[in-house]
Amino acid sequence: MAGSRKAAISFIFITLLLDVIGIGLIIPVFPQLIEELIHGNISEASQWSGLLTFAYAITQFICAPIIGNLSDQYGRRPVLLLSLLGFGIDYIFLSLAPTIWWLFAGRVIAGLFGASFTTAAAYIGDISTSEDRSKNFGMIGAAFGLGFVIGPGLGGLLGELGPRVPFVFAAVLTFINVLYGYFVLPESLAKEHRRPFEWKRANPLGSLIQLKKYKGVGGLIVSLTFVYIASHAVHSTWTFFNIEKFHWSNSLMGLSLTVIGLLVAIVQGGLIRYTNPKLGDEKSIYFGLSLYAIGLILFSFATESWMMFAFLVPYCLGGIAGPALQSIISGNVPKNEQGELQGALTSLMSATSIVGPLLMTNLFAWFTRPESEIKFAGAPFFAGAILMGISAVLAARTMKKETFLNRKTNPPDESPLQSPDLIRD
C-alpha cells in the first residue's frame, strides 16, 4: 500500500512538473508579446496583463467547482487530462495571436479547463495519510519550484529567438504531458469513494458556501484569501517591475524566475519536511506569513538588481505557510468531498485573481506612468506586505477560537472525519 502511494506521488509530481515547465516557459516573454500587440509601453502592458489574468480568473472561478465536483464523480485522471489539453490549446492561441484579443481567447480556454492543480490536490488527498499530509502537499510546491527552475530559464533563452517561440514549445510540452498522463498516470479515487455530481454544489458560490459546514474552516479561508491577493504583487508585477526599474533582459528575467523556482523547490520539497515536524502546522503558518511580509517589503524598496535576488530568500521561506494552511483545512473535510473542497479553494483563488492582478498591475501602472508625481514601482509589493500581515492576524485569531482536527503534525489516528482506513489529504 505504501509503495503504491509513493508511485502515485511520483506520477502526479512528474505530471505537475511538466505542466509548470510549460507555464514557466512563457512568463519571461509575456510582457514583450503584449507590448508588441498593443504597440505601447511597459506601464500600459502591465494593465493589459491584469485584464488578461482577469479573463482567465473569472472563467476559472465559474468552472473550477464544476471540474472539482466532476472529479468526485468520475475520478481524478480524466479531469486532469482534460485540463492539460485545455492548456495546450491555450498556448497554441497565444503563439499565433495576431491581436491582443487572441490572447483573451486563449486565456478563456485555459480558464475553462484550468483545473490541473485543483485535481492534483484532490489526487494527493486521495492517497495521503494524516502523517504525510503536509509533506505530500509540499510536493505540489516542489513540482512548481522545480518547474520554475527549468521553465523560465529555458523560456528566456527561447525568447531571444522571438517572443512567440516559448509558446510553441510550451504547447508541444503540454501535449506530451497529456500523452504521459494517458498512458502512465493511475486513477486515485476508488469507485466506492465517489459521489454523484450535484449542480447546487458545483456553482462557484455554492461550493464556497459548502465550506461553512466544517467548523472553523471559514476563518482560515478568509486568511487564505488575503494570502492569494497579496501573492499577486509578485505573480502579476515581477517581470514588469524589473523591466521598469532595472531594465532586465529576457535572459536575466528567466534567470530570476529560475532562482525563485529553485528556492521554492528547496523550501517545499525539502525544508518543509524538517520545519513542519518541529514547528507543527500552526506555527508554520505564523512564521511563513511573517517571512512573506518581510520579503515583500524588501522588494518594494530594492535599489539594485542583486537585491531582488537576495530578498527572494525570506520571501520564498514564507512558503512553509501554504501547505500547513491547506493541511489544516483539508484535514477537516471528508475523503469523498476532497474534490469539492479543492474546487472551492480554486474558485476562491480565481476570485482573488479577479481582484489581485487588477489591483497590483494598476498600482504599478499608476506609480510608473510618465505623468505620475510619485514614482514608486514597488507599490504593489508594499501593498502585498500589508495584506500578508492582515492574513497572519486573522489566522492567529481563528486558531485561538477554533478547535481543528489535524492541527498538529502528529494528530490522533482516530477522529470523526478520519480513521486509519481513510486515506485523505
Side-chain angles (χ1 to χ4, degrees), residues 213-275:
K213 65 184 177 183
Y214 305 112
K215 184 180 179 182
V217 167
L220 292 182
I221 292 295
V222 175
S223 175
L224 199 58
T225 299
F226 282 99
V227 173
Y228 285 155
I229 295 175
S231 69
H232 281 286
V234 174
H235 296 169
S236 299
T237 67
W238 178 265
T239 51
F240 295 99
F241 173 86
N242 287 302
I243 290 172
E244 167 70 18
K245 190 154 187 176
F246 304 119
H247 309 290
W248 283 7
S249 65
N250 286 338
S251 298
L252 186 55
M253 191 69 69
L255 176 62
S256 73
L257 294 168
T258 295
V259 172
I260 292 175
L262 182 61
L263 289 172
V264 170
I266 290 172
V267 171
Q268 300 206 11
L271 183 63
I272 196 172
R273 296 170 182 266
Y274 300 98
T275 58

Side-chain angles (χ1 to χ4, degrees), residues 133-171:
R133 179 181 301 110
S134 292
K135 179 182 69 175
N136 288 345
F137 271 121
M139 291 302 291
I140 296 180
F144 189 91
L146 186 56
F148 265 78
V149 171
I150 301 169
L154 182 59
L157 293 174
L158 291 172
E160 298 298 330
L161 302 176
R164 298 172 187 268
V165 175
F167 295 94
V168 176
F169 198 92

Side-chain angles (χ1 to χ4, degrees), residues 238-407:
W238 178 265
T239 51
F240 295 99
F241 173 86
N242 287 302
I243 290 172
E244 167 70 18
K245 190 154 187 176
F246 304 119
H247 309 290
W248 283 7
S249 65
N250 286 338
S251 298
L252 186 55
M253 191 69 69
L255 176 62
S256 73
L257 294 168
T258 295
V259 172
I260 292 175
L262 182 61
L263 289 172
V264 170
I266 290 172
V267 171
Q268 300 206 11
L271 183 63
I272 196 172
R273 296 170 182 266
Y274 300 98
T275 58
N276 190 267
K278 291 183 179 298
L279 297 175
D281 286 338
E282 189 173 347
K283 289 184 179 178
S284 293
I285 292 170
Y286 301 151
F287 280 110
L289 293 178
S290 298
L291 287 166
Y292 270 144
I294 291 170
L296 287 166
I297 290 174
L298 292 173
F299 287 150
S300 67
F301 293 105
T303 56
E304 301 288 342
S305 283
W306 65 265
M307 293 180 179
M308 299 302 292
F309 286 88
F311 299 158
L312 283 171
V313 175
Y315 179 78
C316 290
L317 284 172
I320 64 174
L325 255 176
Q326 194 164 15
S327 174
I328 293 177
I329 293 172
S330 64
N332 289 268
V333 176
K335 181 182 180 65
N336 65 354
E337 297 179 10
Q338 287 297 319
E340 178 184 33
L341 168 68
Q342 300 304 333
L345 292 180
T346 301
S347 284
L348 174 66
M349 184 166 60
S350 299
T352 59
S353 294
I354 294 169
V355 177
L358 290 177
L359 171 64
M360 299 305 178
T361 55
N362 277 283
L363 272 175
F364 175 82
W366 178 266
F367 284 100
T368 58
R369 59 191 181 135
E371 64 271 24
S372 178
E373 295 182 3
I374 302 175
K375 295 286 186 178
F376 184 34
F381 297 136
F382 191 79
I386 294 173
L387 293 175
M388 287 293 185
I390 294 172
S391 176
V393 171
L394 287 172
R397 290 183 62 182
T398 302
M399 290 292 185
K400 288 180 180 179
K401 291 193 303 180
E402 304 291 349
T403 301
F404 294 99
L405 303 175
N406 307 311
R407 181 171 179 157

